[in-house]
Amino acid sequence: MCNRFGVNYVTEVRTNETGTLLGYGVCVDSLHQESQARFNPNDWANDVIIIDECDQVFWHLLNSGTEVQKRRVSVLKNLKQLVQNVLGSSQGKIYLSSADVSDTDVPAQDTEAAIALTFSEAFHGTQKRLQIDGETITVRIPPGVKSGSRIRVKGKGQMSPFSQQRADLYLTIELLPHPFFKFEGDNLACELPVSPEEAVLGAQIDVPTPDGKVTMTIPSGVDSGQALRLRGKGWRDPKGNRTALIVRLKIVTPKDLSPQERECYEKLRQVSSFNSRQGLTEVRL
């Protein structure tokens, strides 16, 4: 068993370089503090425990008249605590086998990792070279992934010590912030500055989209914060379909006016009958 898994038997721990680093093999008799293993169940949590010939192990533990008889209660308590610690941890596993161990197949464990992408890489798709547990792999990211998307890479997870088959690698996508675009549900959204005269009179304005600028009509009389929708100009899904781009208008005022501009605004103030605060005249507590 120890040779198959590449770990030391407890009697070899002191003489081999790896020691207990990779775990070790031990008889059930030694599951107590006074044994050569100095076994403490609280040293084990996110680990893989394999009990070979489990039926014989439990019979021996409960019925044998050997050394285990003297410490049976202590060994049973430690075994119970070991099971609780391992199965109560996030990655711990316990496997029971019987008969020829060569017929036992312990499935390999999938590997989880995160990968950060720019909006451009996620929208268009890309290839990334990653270092996973010391191995360099190339991963193809399909177009249209978003934060939280998971990419399955077959055969790049952990290896089963029995079958020598590898599990899968799962990559969770994280999108880096973009200075202009953001997500609103499945749609993309952006904030578009418009001038006061464009908001009042309406205008034709170029709007950036993920694949280039498009001209959008701003109707007259829009308000700051009002949202317009460009269908089919948002994010793409893995099938190539496009969501909408939500364009939120933000009316911005000029800070440095020329004399002519100031004169025009002064004239507008004199002749305008528009009261932007008319609805507030009756507001009180």
Side-chain angles (χ1 to χ4, degrees), residues 21-238:
L21 180 65
L22 303 177
Y24 59 81
V26 66
C27 177
V28 70
D29 291 19
S30 298
L31 298 187
H32 59 86
Q33 286 278 9
E34 289 73 28
S35 70
Q36 184 176 354
R38 298 290 187 266
F39 182 79
N40 183 351
N42 294 323
D43 293 336
W44 304 82
N46 286 304
D47 301 284
V48 176
I49 308 298
I50 299 176
I51 303 178
D52 186 32
E53 302 295 355
C54 58
D55 50 345
Q56 297 181 31
V57 168
F58 293 130
W59 185 95
H60 177 77
L61 175 58
L62 296 174
N63 300 284
S64 175
T66 61
E67 181 68 18
V68 73
Q69 183 179 16
K70 303 175 184 178
R71 306 183 186 276
R72 184 167 285 134
V73 173
S74 176
V75 170
L76 283 169
K77 287 183 177 179
N78 283 341
L79 180 60
K80 175 183 176 182
Q81 189 63 50
L82 172 66
V83 171
Q84 290 176 335
N85 291 350
V86 172
L87 295 185
S89 59
S90 60
Q91 298 181 4
K93 301 287 184 182
I94 296 180
Y95 295 99
L96 305 179
S97 66
S98 186
D100 187 356
V101 74
S102 63
D103 294 332
T104 303
D105 183 17
V106 178
Q109 301 299 298
D110 293 328
T111 300
E112 300 277 348
I115 180 172
L117 301 177
T118 65
F119 266 56
S120 178
E121 289 172 329
F123 181 80
H124 296 289
T126 186
Q127 282 194 348
K128 287 286 191 179
R129 290 174 62 84
L130 307 176
Q131 285 281 339
I132 304 292
D133 294 333
E135 179 183 6
T136 302
I137 63 173
T138 300
V139 179
R140 188 184 73 83
I141 308 296
V145 295
K146 299 187 296 184
S147 286
S149 297
R150 280 164 55 90
I151 304 296
R152 178 188 179 192
V153 186
K154 292 184 178 180
K156 294 300 181 180
Q158 298 181 16
M159 182 177 293
S160 167
F162 280 107
S163 65
Q164 302 300 303
Q165 298 295 314
R166 295 189 64 173
D168 299 329
L169 166 66
Y170 286 89
L171 296 175
T172 300
I173 303 298
E174 297 177 359
L175 290 192
L176 300 172
H178 192 275
F180 185 70
F181 297 113
K182 64 180 182 179
F183 276 96
E184 288 189 4
D186 292 330
N187 296 317
L188 273 187
C190 65
E191 187 176 72
L192 186 70
V194 295
S195 67
E197 57 271 23
E198 289 172 331
V200 172
L201 302 175
Q204 297 282 318
I205 297 180
D206 288 338
V207 181
T209 74
D211 41 10
K213 293 181 179 180
V214 299
T215 300
M216 183 176 67
T217 299
I218 305 294
S220 60
V222 294
D223 294 322
S224 195
Q226 186 170 334
L228 304 177
R229 178 185 295 261
L230 289 176
R231 297 185 183 278
K233 293 299 181 180
W235 203 250
R236 62 166 28 121
D237 64 22

